[in-house]
Amino acid sequence: MQAVEVKSFLEANLPGTRVEVEGEGCNFQLNVISDELAALSPVKRQQSIYAHLNPWIADGSIHAVTMKFFSSAAWAERT
């Protein structure tokens, strides 16, 4: 599994969301930039990502995922 695959897949399935992915193999760190997701509770945010990644987690392609969520404004302040 490559970081670019995770990025492309999530961005295609979560319109209006930008995902920066670091890592390789089966361990990834995600920075998820989305005003819609940033407005949700932390549990709902993670559930929305895991809902898309669960098939890869189940087959072992992804072992570990860490996530940080940002609104567009918060991300712009970081960079």
Side-chain angles (χ1 to χ4, degrees):
M1 175 79 29
Q2 298 294 319
V4 69
E5 292 176 90
V6 175
K7 175 182 175 63
S8 297
F9 179 77
L10 289 174
E11 288 181 346
N13 286 283
L14 296 165
T17 299
R18 179 176 158 203
V19 183
E20 298 296 325
V21 182
E22 294 180 19
E24 57 185 42
C26 58
N27 299 309
F28 297 97
Q29 302 81 41
L30 309 178
N31 287 321
V32 182
I33 303 97
S34 168
D35 291 331
E36 182 178 329
L37 292 177
L40 299 176
S41 72
V43 170
K44 293 288 184 190
R45 292 176 197 166
Q46 288 187 349
Q47 287 173 337
S48 67
I49 300 298
Y50 281 125
H52 295 289
L53 298 181
N54 276 338
W56 284 335
I57 293 169
D59 75 8
S61 297
I62 294 178
H63 173 71
V65 179
T66 57
M67 297 175 235
K68 292 183 182 177
F69 293 85
F70 301 89
S71 66
S72 297
W75 184 255
E77 290 175 8
R78 268 185 64 126
T79 57

